[in-house]
Amino acid sequence: MIIALLTGRGGSNLKDKNVIKINGKPCLYYPCKEAKKIKSIKDFFVSSEDKKILNLAYSYGYNKIKRPKKFSKENSKHIDVINHALKKIYQKNLFPDILVVLLANAPIIKSKWIKDCINILKKNKNLSSVVPVLENNDHHPLRAKKMKNNILKSHFKPKGKISTNRQDLEKNYFLCHNFWVIRTEALKLDNGDKPWTFLGKNVYGYKIKNSIDIHTKLDLKIAKYLLGNRYD
């Protein structure tokens, strides 16, 4: 069984970012709508402490899960939110083997992407999860620095010569925060690479070209542009 879980909390530096309108629709409308197109997803839930998020998602066909305040803080962990929601889902005698986690502040999402990721996971039993990724060599770890007293240092000591040209570096990918397709067994083990240990040990990267999760007013402008144009 496959179940979708939308997650979002009310508190944020950008007020009401999960329900703020982008091109005439609330931000969370986009993940809600795209997931609803997929017939293999049998049920839909939303986890939040915020009434606006819960009520809006409910109007799109998502069952409400009231999230405790202890899991609704700025430093709350996603795995705790997911596990709390799963307990509520189990109480309804629903036992998914695959969970599609949707993020309410991520409007750049397509049903095709979700469907592709589900199919990849179902066909490859050794995979623990399938997640969208973006190629980005501008922000390659070999080009990143930490700073102490305004002095820049590498995070680690690279071996050999390192080119300053991003094109010469090994391809680098970042996890997107629009959705994740995860085996519930992997969630229980919680033994994958840090920091997303709940994705399991064998995470498949599904390459996409654009993604943005809303945290700032600039993110809103980028999302409006992408939604108004093709973003595949």
Side-chain angles (χ1 to χ4, degrees):
M1 177 187 291
I2 304 173
I3 284 179
L5 173 66
L6 178 77
T7 65
R9 67 181 185 92
S12 172
N13 292 330
L14 182 62
K15 187 179 178 180
D16 290 333
K17 68 179 182 182
N18 294 302
V19 299
I20 197 167
K21 287 193 175 180
I22 305 174
N23 291 2
K25 298 290 184 181
C27 185
L28 64 78
Y29 162 84
Y30 296 99
C32 285
K33 176 195 70 170
E34 292 302 311
K36 272 285 185 176
K37 294 178 181 179
I38 301 170
K39 293 180 180 179
S40 61
I41 299 179
K42 298 306 179 186
D43 216 335
F44 301 82
F45 291 84
V46 53
S47 166
S48 184
E49 90 296 355
D50 187 88
K51 289 183 179 179
K52 291 179 183 178
I53 294 172
L54 290 171
N55 291 336
L56 194 54
Y58 179 77
S59 73
Y60 299 138
Y62 285 67
N63 299 296
K64 298 179 186 179
I65 296 176
K66 185 67 180 295
R67 188 190 303 178
K69 288 183 179 180
K70 65 180 179 179
F71 297 146
S72 305
K73 299 176 182 179
E74 188 175 349
N75 62 348
S76 295
K77 297 179 181 179
H78 228 117
I79 184 61
D80 294 329
V81 172
I82 294 169
N83 282 335
H84 171 264
L86 275 175
K87 287 179 182 178
K88 297 296 183 181
I89 292 170
Y90 292 155
Q91 288 172 8
K92 296 180 179 291
N93 289 320
L94 296 171
F95 301 96
D97 54 338
I98 294 175
L99 190 69
V100 179
V101 178
L102 308 165
L103 284 84
N105 67 324
I108 306 304
I109 184 171
K110 289 191 174 185
S111 60
K112 181 185 182 304
W113 297 350
I114 303 172
K115 190 175 181 180
D116 285 350
C117 290
I118 289 173
N119 288 337
I120 291 168
L121 189 62
K122 288 171 71 175
K123 289 177 181 178
N124 296 273
K125 301 300 181 183
N126 63 314
L127 296 178
S128 56
S129 57
V130 183
V131 300
V133 294
L134 287 174
E135 182 182 332
N136 186 329
N137 269 29
D138 280 334
H139 298 99
H140 198 287
L142 290 173
R143 293 160 66 91
K145 301 292 180 182
K146 58 184 176 180
M147 188 165 70
K148 186 176 182 180
N149 298 324
N150 293 98
I151 302 300
L152 297 173
K153 296 287 184 180
S154 295
H155 285 276
F156 51 90
K157 292 182 180 180
K159 295 179 180 180
K161 292 183 179 180
I162 305 296
S163 174
T164 56
N165 297 329
R166 60 182 173 81
Q167 298 92 339
D168 296 333
L169 301 177
E170 183 179 0
K171 286 187 177 181
N172 179 64
Y173 297 93
F174 284 93
L175 240 69
C176 297
H177 280 71
N178 47 5
F179 71 92
W180 308 315
V181 178
I182 317 170
R183 290 195 198 279
T184 49
E185 186 62 31
L187 290 166
K188 294 174 186 175
L189 294 172
D190 192 23
N191 62 353
D193 283 345
K194 296 177 181 180
W196 296 279
T197 54
F198 58 85
L199 294 177
K201 287 193 172 182
N202 293 299
V203 184
Y204 183 101
Y206 177 81
K207 291 185 282 186
I208 61 175
K209 292 182 179 179
N210 288 290
S211 181
I212 190 78
D213 40 303
I214 306 301
H215 296 291
T216 66
K217 289 182 179 180
L218 177 58
D219 295 334
L220 277 174
K221 290 181 179 180
I222 295 171
K224 286 177 182 179
Y225 172 79
L226 291 173
L227 287 168
N229 298 273
R230 289 181 59 87
Y231 58 84
D232 53 352

